[in-house]
Amino acid sequence: MKSKIHEHQNPNIKAVSKNIVFTITAVLLLTSCGNKKSEEQATETPTIENRTTLTDAQIKNAGIETGKIEQKEISATLKLNGKIDVPPQNLVSISVPMGGYLKSTKLLEGMFVTKGQVLCIVEDQQYIQLQEDYLLAKAKIGYAKAEFERQKELNQSKASSDKVYQQAQAEYNSLSVMVQSYGEKLKFAGINPNNVSAKSISKSINVYSPISGYITKVNVNTGKYVNPSDILFEIVNPSDIHLALTVFEKDINKLAIGQSLLAYTNTNPEKKYPCKIILIGKDFSEDRSTVIHCHFNNYDKALLPGMYMNSEIEVKSQKSNVLPSDAIVSYENKDYVFIAKADKQFEMTEVTVGNSENEFTEILSNNMNETSIVIKGAYALLMKIKNTEE
């Protein structure tokens, strides 16, 4: 009988045991999850400490001094870029109006030439023909003039008809036009008509320099045939070389004629060229920019037209909130100052800075005018905070 009762109670005992096992398993799982979350939270990056407390001895040893934001006039630096330019009258392209073969030249890039100097000699048969036509027209006009005057006298006395007189007049007028035309063609070709005679006919002409300056381009060689449209040489007169800089509309009011600036090239940024603004453009392009022109105080032969340059212009601003530059520390590409709190505590606060001048830096952050700020020893405070974090 007892045995039967025992067998009847076994299923209940098994059910209870299963419940207990299930409960324990759930608790273990929850505990495991909780521990995992705790571990994950523990591995998260801790909040950066931005406050530290010093003793009197530490404050003295670090040389910490406090002060407040001051008002000072800080000059802002405006950076512009552009290129070297010359006015049209100081940059000359040399060509031969009637073309021909280049007989000789001794020019090299960089050479200096004076106004009126022979640049090259060009020869062609057309110059012979032009001089011949001019001399023949001059020879005929003498006879035509005499015949015209004779027919004029005869016509006045009614000894010759009006038709003959008019023919003589037309012949003389046409030859006058031809002489004048051939003379201008000679001048255009670079030949002085007054120097042309039967004994001086030449197949060559001299090409003269119209200005004094430096040869910047030589595009031909001896023996080459050049067309009227070909540019043989380019000459630059550096006496009026200037720097053309691009400036946007928002900055145009910061500039004035006579204002000084420093220019430098990309290849040698350490070498500065003092300049002055001589002209400010009034027309703006589609991107709302215009050009200002500047003169170099001293011309350097190394500066050539078309060369790109950068410039820095100091523009005066209104009085700004400033702190000594030593009061600002940089950490992870951000700028900070330390605010002095009660009980010898110092709090690291991020700020936005502007321009710097004469060991003072502009503070653009607001609501700091009456704050006591560490102006000396800020770097020592930064090191203490970072060492404490480590």
Side-chain angles (χ1 to χ4, degrees):
M1 185 73 178
K2 289 180 181 178
S3 176
K4 290 181 180 179
I5 295 172
H6 180 72
E7 290 175 358
H8 179 73
Q9 289 176 344
N10 279 344
N12 294 332
I13 292 171
K14 287 181 179 180
V16 171
S17 298
K18 286 182 179 179
N19 290 337
I20 292 171
V21 171
F22 177 78
T23 303
I24 291 171
T25 303
V27 170
L28 289 174
L29 288 171
L30 290 172
T31 304
S32 175
C33 292
N35 289 338
K36 191 173 288 186
K37 287 183 179 179
S38 299
E39 289 175 2
E40 289 176 355
Q41 290 176 355
T43 58
E44 289 179 358
T45 304
T47 304
I48 297 176
E49 185 62 41
N50 65 346
R51 185 175 292 200
T52 187
T53 303
L54 301 183
T55 64
D56 290 335
Q58 288 175 323
I59 291 175
K60 183 177 180 181
N61 291 335
I64 291 174
E65 296 181 15
T66 60
K68 294 183 179 181
I69 283 179
E70 303 178 48
Q71 287 275 315
K72 283 186 178 294
E73 193 171 81
I74 296 290
S75 295
T77 301
L78 180 62
K79 294 185 178 182
L80 304 175
N81 55 67
K83 63 180 181 178
I84 298 175
D85 199 5
V86 291
Q89 65 270 23
N90 284 43
L91 176 61
V92 179
S93 298
I94 305 297
S95 60
V96 182
M98 296 184 66
Y101 292 92
L102 187 68
K103 182 179 180 181
S104 66
T105 183
K106 296 180 180 179
L107 295 183
L108 297 173
E109 291 185 7
M111 291 180 64
F112 183 81
V113 294
T114 57
K115 183 177 180 179
Q117 179 178 333
V118 175
L119 301 178
C120 63
I121 299 175
V122 178
E123 61 182 16
D124 197 87
Q125 291 183 355
Q126 62 182 322
Y127 301 122
I128 298 175
Q129 186 64 50
L130 181 59
Q131 294 170 80
E132 179 185 343
D133 292 341
Y134 175 72
L135 291 175
L136 290 176
K138 279 190 69 176
K140 290 179 180 179
I141 198 173
Y143 171 78
K145 184 179 181 181
E147 179 64 16
F148 165 66
E149 291 177 349
R150 188 173 70 87
Q151 292 297 332
K152 183 178 180 180
E153 291 178 1
L154 292 174
N155 183 260
Q156 288 177 351
S157 62
K158 303 299 180 180
S160 68
S161 65
D162 293 340
K163 181 179 179 180
V164 174
Y165 167 68
Q166 290 171 356
Q167 287 178 340
Q169 185 180 32
E171 180 68 15
Y172 172 67
N173 290 339
S174 62
L175 286 172
S176 297
V177 171
M178 290 178 64
V179 170
Q180 185 66 26
S181 175
Y182 286 134
E184 292 301 318
K185 286 182 179 179
L186 287 171
K187 292 179 183 178
F188 184 68
I191 302 172
N192 187 347
N194 298 326
N195 297 333
V196 176
S197 66
K199 295 181 179 181
S200 65
I201 294 177
S202 174
K203 63 180 178 180
S204 303
I205 62 167
N206 294 333
V207 179
Y208 301 94
S209 176
I211 63 170
S212 297
Y214 291 92
I215 302 295
T216 58
K217 288 184 180 179
V218 177
N219 300 322
V220 290
N221 53 272
T222 303
K224 181 178 180 180
Y225 184 85
V226 293
N227 294 300
S229 59
D230 294 338
I231 296 175
L232 281 63
F233 315 101
E234 285 190 1
I235 305 174
V236 170
N237 180 357
S239 62
D240 198 24
I241 195 170
H242 61 263
L243 179 62
L245 299 171
T246 301
V247 59
F248 288 95
E249 184 179 12
K250 63 183 180 64
D251 297 319
I252 197 70
N253 291 331
K254 301 176 184 177
L255 305 176
I257 293 176
Q259 195 168 356
S260 299
L261 59 96
L262 293 175
Y264 54 92
T265 62
N266 292 327
T267 55
N268 189 10
E270 300 299 323
K271 187 172 184 179
K272 308 292 184 182
Y273 298 91
C275 304
K276 283 190 177 180
I277 298 175
I278 59 170
L279 181 66
I280 299 176
K282 303 299 181 184
D283 295 329
F284 291 95
S285 60
E286 292 181 359
D287 62 353
R288 307 309 299 165
S289 67
T290 187
V291 176
I292 64 171
H293 296 274
C294 314
H295 259 161
F296 292 93
N297 292 356
N298 296 300
Y299 171 67
D300 189 334
K301 294 180 182 178
L303 300 177
L304 300 175
M307 185 179 290
Y308 287 95
M309 297 194 78
N310 303 309
S311 69
E312 295 178 352
I313 308 174
E314 286 192 357
V315 291
K316 289 292 182 181
S317 63
Q318 296 178 349
K319 285 190 175 181
S320 305
N321 293 332
V322 300
L323 280 174
S325 298
D326 291 340
I328 302 163
V329 294
S330 296
Y331 180 71
E332 294 183 347
N333 298 322
K334 294 181 180 180
D335 296 304
Y336 297 89
V337 297
F338 285 91
I339 297 176
K341 299 289 186 178
D343 300 327
K344 303 181 182 64
Q345 287 189 343
F346 301 92
E347 183 179 355
M348 185 171 158
T349 304
E350 184 181 351
V351 293
T352 303
V353 300
N355 297 299
S356 297
E357 185 180 31
N358 299 328
E359 298 183 356
F360 282 90
T361 299
E362 187 179 11
I363 303 297
L364 303 179
S365 303
N366 297 323
N367 304 324
M368 298 187 69
N369 290 348
E370 300 301 323
T371 306
S372 181
I373 299 172
V374 174
I375 59 175
K376 285 187 179 181
Y379 186 76
L381 289 173
L382 177 65
M383 290 299 99
K384 185 176 186 305
I385 286 180
K386 298 312 157 192
N387 290 334
T388 301
E389 289 178 4
E390 294 173 359

